[in-house]
Amino acid sequence: METKEAEMLRRYMGRQVQDSPSPFMNWLKPVILKVEEGSLAFQYTVRPEMTNPFGTLHGGVTAAIIDDAMGATLITYGEDVFHVTVNLSVDYFAATRAGDVIIAETSVQKRGRQIVNIHCDVWNEDKTKLLAKGYSNLIKTPIK
């Protein structure tokens, strides 16, 4: 049975996120491509302000995209509390430039009572090249 939160996210599929409670997500401007319990896919257009001096997507922005997408994935479970990142590990495989479109796909690997382990793959637009891969553990907080 799908949660009302997952249903709400699904209504935004194909549209750019603009009214998230997260100002950072609004700045990233993702488009929701897929919503399933424990899994989301977002599409991002790399903007010049997301790049490093070499003109490629900044590694910190890549890590932030991964972290933000993973946190949003937990919304699909419909819990009334926030989770925060305990750790974040990112492997970088290929560069991408301003104007390129990238896709971040998340999947929960293990959901415990307190800790959730989640992975995220970042691809080029046609998913022929894996750009980065991240994983994280998030812990449940008492914050509602």
Side-chain angles (χ1 to χ4, degrees), residues 86-123:
V86 173
N87 64 333
L88 175 65
S89 178
V90 180
D91 295 318
Y92 301 92
F93 304 118
T96 189
R97 298 195 164 279
D100 290 347
V101 172
I102 62 173
I103 296 171
E105 294 183 323
T106 65
S107 77
V108 170
Q109 303 299 299
K110 170 127 176 43
R111 182 176 172 225
R113 287 191 325 250
Q114 293 297 316
I115 301 282
V116 177
N117 179 268
I118 186 165
H119 293 193
C120 181
D121 293 333
V122 180
W123 297 91

Side-chain angles (χ1 to χ4, degrees), residues 40-57:
L40 293 176
F42 291 105
Q43 177 180 293
Y44 304 82
T45 300
V46 178
R47 302 187 315 272
E49 63 267 28
M50 297 173 156
T51 62
N52 60 28
F54 300 109
T56 60
L57 181 62

